[in-house]
Amino acid sequence: MHIHRLEKIWMVFGVVMLAVFLAVLGVYAFSMGLQTPHSHAYGKVDPEKLAETPPFDQPGVYQVGENEYEAVIIMYAFGFTPNEITVPAGAKVNFVITSSDVVHGFEIVGTTVNLMAIPGEVNVVSYTFDKPGEYLILCNEYCGIGHQAMYTKLVVT
Amino acid sequence: MAQTQTFDRDDAKLVLTHVIFAFVALMIGGIAGMLQGMVRGGMFEMPGGISYYQLLTAHGVLMALIFTTFFIVGFMFSGVSKVTGGKLTSTARGLGWAGFWLMAVGTAIGTVMILANEATVLYTFYAPMKASPWFYVALALVVVGSWLSGAGMIAQYRSWRENNKGKISPLFAYMAVATMVLWYVATLGVAATVLFQFIPWSFGWVDKINVLLSRTLFWYFGHPLVYFWLMPVYICWYVVVPKVIGGKMFSDALARLAFIMFIVFSVPVGFHHQLMEPGITPFWKFLQVILTFAVVVPSLITAFALFATFETTGRAKGYKGLFGWFRALPWKDVRFLGPFLGMVAFVPGGIGGMINASHQMNALVHNTIWVTGHFHLTVATAVAITFFGIAYWLIPAITGRRLTEAVNRLGVWQVSLWAFGILVMSGAMHISGLMGAPRRTSDTTYNGNEIAAQWDPYNLLVAIGGVILFISLIVLAVALVKMFQMPKGETEYPVAEPLQPVEATPRWLERWGVWIGVTAVLIVIAYAFPIADQLFLDPAPGAKGYVLW
Ligand code: HEM
Ligand SMILES: [Cu+2]
Ligand SMILES: [Cu+2]
């Protein structure tokens, strides 16, 4: 098969760029902790029995380390438990999320906190809020007729 | 190629029926699209108890599933007939009609369910949102119908090869078969989830559904779906456009190689739609991210081939200088302008796609309206505008009429309006998406929230862009009607010849068994463990169904 010389150069350049690009993504993800949200060690939960399943039997914000907090949140159509969340500035917050009914999306506008709540699964992501203030939390996956009314706020003190 | 050959009448009927069906779906979907923009922009409220999400379900289904599939099947049947001797065998045509009727009945049932508000689950029908079982049955009919159509094309291709032993197949037929092979592999995922999960669950034969598994199977299908839209567009770019501009195809062999790579690399990658989900470990997500980016290789081949064609054609016509050949392109010919605007849109579309698939970077854009902006550049422009460009010669060519200058001019206006409307709408969607505005969300201020208020001007632009797009569709409707009033005569079915003789094309490119085998191996590597995990190693408790609309 004949391949034009310029095309060979073009292809080699493209593939090398691609390799560099993927290496950057991979290094950030696997050695610097910039990872996608995932379940960690929480295992599976029964969406109909959240009231008796830790940690979702007691949703809320808990201090778990010197400067580290865990926010345990249940999403449901069309709201959040707990309804309002307060965390201190500069602390690492681990959001631990599930849904008690259909699929929802947990987004804190203006941050990289953006993860899916799927019934039966637990999803986790960490974030450090540097600036105090009020943040908008909204549901970004269609969950029914009241989807656009599913939001709350996060206060960073 | 030079002999004047009118299009076979029976084949023309099959093709035309598909194309008209596709455009009717497009018009209805377009009305929904425009209304969505207006509702989101706060300019309009839906009357008569129709909800925003009902509209959005209709739009997604009619555009992404119905318009595309019908047009693709019609267009590919036309080309396969054209290049394999000018007439489909009765088996091929019979399968084509059987496919059409199954798909048409499926579309009708699905549309009724959506109108009746029994299936407001959006076109991705994520469990455990539960639609009427007939909605899932309707989807299954559409898929099975498309399988029959694919079988028709493959039957035609095989009969050509039997009658032309030892010859390399015509490129158009090869590409159509490649597209359908990809489609068979891809639809296995959606067929599995619909038949074994959604239908038994929605009829009430089982109580619970495995949500994560249904999502994994859906996205196993959902990504190659976009290549099913794109490959017919590439057929036009590789095979039709060079002829329209008066040139030759750059390389037959590389074009085939690119299509094989699309089959191999577009299936084992669905997790890039599930990067923000629990239940799939980062290792498997990243593996599929790597495979996702492998499609860069055939995309680079394609980009090179297209520009090489433009340049060699321009130079052969005597245009000089580094970019002089650019002026040789027939800018006032809708058959060229449509696909060319599609290529232009595909540049930011492709770059946006790379951003979306960039593993952790997906967190910035996931489920924001940026994503909607992205696929209105790709499927709603690169794909749709190329289909428009095709319609302007395909319909006259198969109905034995001559494309008039007036209709061509209407076409130039129509595709230009579309490109402009998309620039406004998609541009605004990209910007407000980066600012955090969610997709799939009816009008809301989030209780007067200040950050959300910053999205308002962009919502307005989305609405304006939507109106421009709808005007383009009205122009298209006028042009379509006029196409049936054009004088009898002849319009060329443009099929380019390669620059080098096809004898140079290696035979291994036509070993389908090998390529399907390679694809299967990659699919097993990418999916076997995660699916086993979701299915029986560590499945979550099932979810019962919800009707929340
Ligand atoms: C008149 C032209 C069009 C207009 C005004 C338009 C407008 C829109 C708007 C405003 C949305 C989304 C809103 C939301 O997420 O809340 C949307 C979604 C969508 N559009 Fe279009 N669109 C047009 C044409 C097309 C075409 C030609 C296609 C594909 C061939 C297409 C495919 C889609 C899909 C798949 C969705 C996503 C539906 C979902 O999220 O479930 N659109 N469109
Ligand atoms: Cu929601
Ligand atoms: Cu994809």
Side-chain angles (χ1 to χ4, degrees):
Chain A
M1 187 168 23
H2 170 75
I3 301 180
H4 195 283
R5 190 177 59 88
L6 286 175
E7 178 150 22
K8 281 184 192 149
I9 297 174
W10 164 252
M11 296 303 298
V12 169
F13 174 75
V15 170
V16 170
M17 289 282 291
L18 183 61
V20 171
F21 183 73
L22 283 170
V24 171
L25 290 182
V27 168
Y28 267 104
F30 291 96
S31 66
M32 300 176 71
L34 256 184
Q35 198 44 285
T36 53
H38 55 286
S39 315
H40 289 283
Y42 286 94
K44 315 284 170 179
V45 292
D46 188 333
E48 286 162 48
K49 297 193 184 123
L50 291 181
E52 53 219 72
T53 314
F56 298 102
D57 51 346
Q58 290 187 330
V61 181
Y62 302 97
Q63 184 157 15
V64 291
E66 197 183 324
N67 197 20
E68 188 170 341
Y69 290 79
E70 190 162 272
V72 178
I73 299 164
I74 300 173
M75 297 180 81
Y76 61 89
F78 303 100
F80 302 76
T81 316
N83 184 31
E84 214 180 290
I85 300 160
T86 305
V87 294
K92 179 179 174 193
V93 184
N94 307 320
F95 292 93
V96 180
I97 300 206
T98 194
S99 161
S100 61
D101 43 46
V102 294
V103 176
H104 301 277
F106 187 87
E107 173 184 335
I108 305 182
V109 176
T111 72
T112 51
V113 179
N114 187 348
L115 66 169
M116 305 301 289
I118 295 183
E121 308 281 344
V122 183
N123 209 358
V124 182
V125 83
S126 302
Y127 192 80
T128 304
F129 297 86
D130 293 321
K131 272 187 288 181
E134 264 187 37
Y135 290 75
L136 173 62
I137 300 180
L138 55 80
C139 174
N140 70 11
E141 181 58 272
Y142 169 65
C143 54
I145 196 72
H147 163 61
Q148 71 284 349
M150 183 166 168
Y151 59 90
T152 184
K153 68 182 174 193
L154 176 123
V155 181
V156 178
T157 54
Chain B
M1 295 277 156
Q3 86 269 29
T4 55
Q5 166 212 55
T6 49
F7 204 87
D8 181 78
R9 290 191 128 208
D10 293 326
D11 295 354
K13 215 184 273 171
L14 176 69
V15 173
L16 197 60
T17 313
H18 279 89
V19 170
I20 291 176
F21 198 102
F23 281 130
V24 170
L26 174 75
M27 298 294 163
I28 304 172
I31 296 174
M34 179 182 64
L35 294 176
Q36 283 152 222
M38 290 166 71
V39 171
R40 281 189 72 117
M43 299 151 85
F44 186 73
E45 257 174 59
M46 286 304 294
I50 301 174
S51 83
Y52 178 78
Y53 302 107
Q54 213 176 336
L55 215 53
L56 191 56
T57 306
H59 182 75
V61 169
L62 286 174
M63 291 300 203
L65 304 179
I66 304 306
F67 162 61
T68 50
T69 306
F70 276 84
F71 192 92
I72 288 166
V73 170
F75 171 55
M76 294 206 310
F77 262 124
S78 79
V80 169
S81 159
K82 162 80 188 171
V83 300
T84 57
K87 193 169 175 52
L88 294 174
T89 63
S90 55
T91 318
R93 202 183 310 113
L95 283 166
W97 279 115
F100 172 82
W101 282 111
L102 276 187
M103 294 201 297
V105 170
T107 307
I109 299 175
T111 309
V112 168
M113 287 300 128
I114 296 170
L115 288 177
N117 202 19
E118 296 281 337
T120 307
V121 291
L122 307 189
Y123 85 111
T124 46
F125 57 91
Y126 290 145
M129 201 77 91
K130 187 158 86 175
S132 152
W134 300 106
F135 178 71
Y136 306 115
V137 170
L139 292 177
L141 286 174
V142 172
V143 170
V144 174
S146 71
W147 286 348
L148 295 184
S149 309
M153 291 175 215
I154 291 170
Q156 180 73 12
Y157 165 85
R158 290 180 60 163
S159 96
W160 186 93
R161 284 187 80 187
E162 248 147 58
N163 297 329
N164 295 271
K165 286 243 161 63
K167 285 202 218 160
I168 196 96
S169 61
L171 183 59
F172 195 126
Y174 177 91
M175 289 176 150
V177 169
T179 306
M180 290 322 290
V181 166
L182 169 101
W183 184 241
Y184 285 114
V185 177
T187 43
L188 289 178
V190 71
T193 187
V194 166
L195 292 180
F196 300 126
Q197 294 194 280
F198 282 96
I199 289 182
W201 170 69
S202 59
F203 273 112
W205 305 332
V206 294
D207 291 339
K208 305 264 173 99
I209 189 162
N210 182 332
V211 177
L212 191 60
L213 180 66
S214 74
R215 296 172 68 83
T216 300
L217 290 172
F218 181 86
W219 285 114
Y220 164 99
F221 154 80
H223 186 78
L225 169 67
V226 314
Y227 280 91
F228 173 67
W229 300 331
L230 210 51
M231 286 164 77
V233 167
Y234 281 3
I235 296 181
C236 172
W237 294 359
Y238 270 112
V239 179
V240 173
V241 169
K243 179 77 173 179
V244 167
I245 65 172
K248 294 198 165 165
M249 193 171 44
F250 184 67
S251 164
D252 179 273
L254 282 173
R256 288 177 206 246
L257 181 64
F259 267 58
I260 289 293
M261 289 197 204
F262 283 129
I263 298 180
V264 173
F265 292 128
S266 67
V267 185
V269 300
F271 284 171
H272 68 232
H273 293 262
Q274 297 177 275
L275 291 171
M276 298 299 120
E277 292 189 23
I280 305 166
T281 58
F283 169 79
W284 293 105
K285 289 178 183 170
F286 195 69
L287 180 78
Q288 294 207 6
V289 164
I290 294 174
L291 289 168
T292 300
F293 279 97
V295 297
V296 164
V297 176
S299 308
L300 289 177
I301 295 179
T302 304
F304 191 93
L306 298 176
F307 281 89
T309 302
F310 294 161
E311 182 175 347
T312 46
T313 309
R315 294 207 190 281
K317 287 183 182 169
Y319 287 83
K320 300 220 160 39
L322 196 53
F323 292 109
W325 47 270
F326 212 67
R327 271 177 292 141
L329 298 172
W331 298 107
K332 291 188 176 145
D333 185 342
V334 66
R335 300 173 309 159
F336 166 75
L337 186 64
F340 183 82
L341 290 170
M343 295 172 199
V344 173
F346 206 57
V347 174
I351 294 172
M354 293 178 62
I355 293 173
N356 301 342
S358 291
H359 204 63
Q360 61 279 60
M361 222 205 284
N362 181 257
L364 279 175
V365 296
H366 178 69
N367 270 352
T368 69
I369 196 123
W370 155 287
V371 175
T372 317
H374 161 71
F375 60 68
H376 281 85
L377 281 177
T378 50
V379 64
T381 306
V383 173
I385 211 167
T386 299
F387 289 175
F388 299 156
I390 291 171
Y392 285 96
W393 57 258
L394 178 61
I395 294 177
I398 62 178
T399 54
R401 293 177 188 273
R402 191 169 49 75
L403 176 61
T404 59
E405 186 42 38
V407 173
N408 177 59
R409 220 173 305 128
L410 218 50
V412 167
W413 272 102
Q414 189 251 319
V415 294
S416 306
L417 269 173
W418 188 272
F420 180 63
I422 284 289
L423 186 70
V424 174
M425 183 175 93
S426 241
M429 285 173 164
H430 276 91
I431 297 171
S432 59
L434 276 186
M435 295 161 75
R439 67 183 283 204
R440 299 183 146 175
T441 301
S442 185
D443 184 35
T444 171
T445 64
Y446 293 106
N447 196 21
N449 185 279
E450 281 166 37
I451 308 169
Q454 293 169 1
W455 308 331
D456 285 349
Y458 299 99
N459 286 339
L460 192 66
L461 283 175
V462 168
I464 295 171
V467 172
I468 300 170
L469 287 170
F470 186 68
I471 296 172
S472 168
L473 284 186
I474 295 175
V475 178
L476 175 66
V478 173
L480 285 173
V481 171
K482 284 201 190 275
M483 272 186 227
F484 291 91
Q485 298 159 353
M486 294 189 303
K488 293 268 176 205
E490 228 188 282
T491 296
E492 178 193 33
Y493 194 118
V495 177
E497 284 171 46
L499 214 47
Q500 296 144 355
V502 283
E503 283 65 44
T505 299
R507 293 295 186 272
W508 48 262
L509 285 168
E510 212 137 12
R511 294 246 183 90
W512 297 106
V514 174
W515 299 117
I516 295 171
V518 172
T519 310
V521 169
L522 273 183
I523 291 173
V524 168
I525 291 174
Y527 272 115
F529 182 80
I531 288 188
D533 193 44
Q534 295 171 17
L535 188 60
F536 52 79
L537 296 180
D538 185 21
K544 63 174 192 219
Y546 290 88
V547 180
L548 295 173
W549 60 84

